[in-house]
Amino acid sequence: MNTGTYSSAKGKSDEMAAILRDISLLIGQERDVSVNLETGGAVVCGLGFMSNAHSLSVRAQDIQQGIFKIIVLGEFKHGKSTLLNSMLGGRVLAARATPCTAIVTMLVYGDSNNVSVYKNGNEIPQVMSLDAFNTEYQLTKEDQEKLNEQGFTYRFQDIDYAQIACQHSLCANGVRLIDSPGLKESNSRTKITTRFLRQAQAIIFVLNATQIISEDERQFIKENLGKGRLTNIFFVINKINGSIGVSGR
């Protein structure tokens, strides 16, 4: 890419980021005084859609930094963490036959051996070893019993997400891989997953070959991935005689 082409692409990225930040202001926190928009003009803004405003702000920051987020979705025990480990060529995430991933986990480029756990409303993370993280933030037998009985567990309600560093070349090029809790395990965690979904540029949706697209999966796809939403969606069919099939749109 020559200098002129790079400058043009950078200018378009900056322009898009400015537009997203302005929209974030317009739909975000309610204000009594006018604010200056980056794209020009001043308005009294704020519709109170805080979650959507935050997602747009994060998307603007990702565009300017050249970050591309891929989120892995699917119901529990469909092999999301196992798939990510296969993509990375090693066991980075905990994975087993029972549900493992209790919170949203983002893989970023780096050489730290620690995990940063971000709690809601706190910009300073809790830092711990990977072994300690796998012990504390996996679903325990007691958690799974509560999920089966009540449909939810409060143990992770104050956790936003965790960040794990890896040195895979994919992440070195600005890609961030997001492992998510199983859909339908908990309404609160499904909401958190949906929020990160709004920040993603692409989706990998893991399906089970023994029951392709359950009614719950069909409903989630219709409501969250349907017309007018993301087009970079790849469906991975797991458990096909031990192999994996992939399709996309």
Side-chain angles (χ1 to χ4, degrees):
M1 180 183 289
N2 60 43
T3 303
T5 304
Y6 175 80
S7 298
S8 176
K10 184 66 167 62
K12 290 180 180 178
S13 295
D14 290 344
E15 182 180 353
M16 177 59 70
I19 291 172
L20 291 177
R21 282 192 293 267
D22 281 351
I23 296 175
S24 177
L25 279 174
L26 290 170
I27 70 173
Q29 182 179 354
E30 298 180 30
R31 302 171 185 267
D32 297 326
V33 296
S34 62
V35 296
N36 295 321
L37 300 177
E38 293 184 50
T39 53
V43 296
V44 177
C45 55
L47 298 176
F49 299 125
M50 302 302 294
S51 178
N52 290 330
H54 175 72
S55 295
L56 288 175
S57 178
V58 171
R59 178 67 66 90
Q61 182 178 356
D62 289 347
I63 288 174
Q64 285 205 303
Q65 294 180 355
I67 294 171
F68 191 91
K69 291 179 179 176
I70 303 174
I71 187 168
V72 181
L73 301 175
E75 293 189 5
F76 64 89
K77 293 193 291 186
H78 279 193
K80 298 184 298 299
S81 299
T82 301
L83 173 64
L84 279 171
N85 284 335
S86 297
M87 291 172 61
L88 296 171
R91 190 177 184 276
V92 179
L93 298 166
R96 60 174 187 260
T98 55
C100 274
T101 305
I103 61 177
V104 170
T105 306
M106 186 180 302
L107 300 174
V108 304
Y109 186 73
D111 58 3
S112 173
N113 293 320
N114 294 322
V115 180
S116 298
V117 179
Y118 290 85
K119 297 187 177 182
N120 296 321
N122 194 342
E123 295 182 0
I124 301 175
Q126 175 189 9
V127 179
M128 61 179 63
S129 69
L130 182 59
D131 287 341
F133 171 75
N134 286 336
T135 299
E136 185 171 347
Y137 288 101
Q138 284 186 37
L139 291 174
T140 64
K141 180 180 178 181
E142 290 74 20
D143 291 328
Q144 293 178 52
E145 289 175 351
K146 287 184 179 179
L147 286 171
N148 292 333
E149 295 172 1
Q150 305 170 170
F152 59 88
T153 175
Y154 289 116
R155 193 159 74 90
F156 310 107
Q157 63 180 346
D158 63 335
I159 304 300
D160 191 12
Y161 73 100
Q163 184 170 288
I164 298 177
C166 68
Q167 292 190 297
H168 194 276
S169 59
L170 187 64
C171 295
N173 290 316
V175 174
R176 294 188 177 179
L177 300 170
I178 303 172
D179 190 21
S180 63
L183 300 176
K184 208 179 72 172
E185 277 189 62
S186 158
N187 287 336
S188 61
R189 285 187 294 143
T190 297
K191 288 179 180 178
I192 292 175
T193 297
T194 303
R195 177 166 61 80
F196 276 85
L197 173 63
R198 299 192 192 107
Q199 302 173 14
Q201 284 77 35
I203 298 166
I204 297 175
F205 202 113
V206 181
L207 301 172
N208 187 340
T210 63
Q211 185 183 13
I212 294 293
I213 306 188
S214 66
E215 186 57 37
D216 291 313
E217 290 170 328
R218 189 185 305 275
Q219 189 67 24
F220 183 89
I221 291 169
K222 179 180 179 181
E223 293 179 356
N224 297 281
L225 311 179
K227 185 176 180 181
R229 300 181 185 273
L230 287 179
T231 56
N232 299 320
I233 305 172
F234 302 88
F235 293 93
V236 174
I237 303 174
N238 198 9
K239 302 183 181 180
I240 304 177
N241 296 326
S243 62
I244 294 177
V246 181
S247 65
R249 70 170 177 85

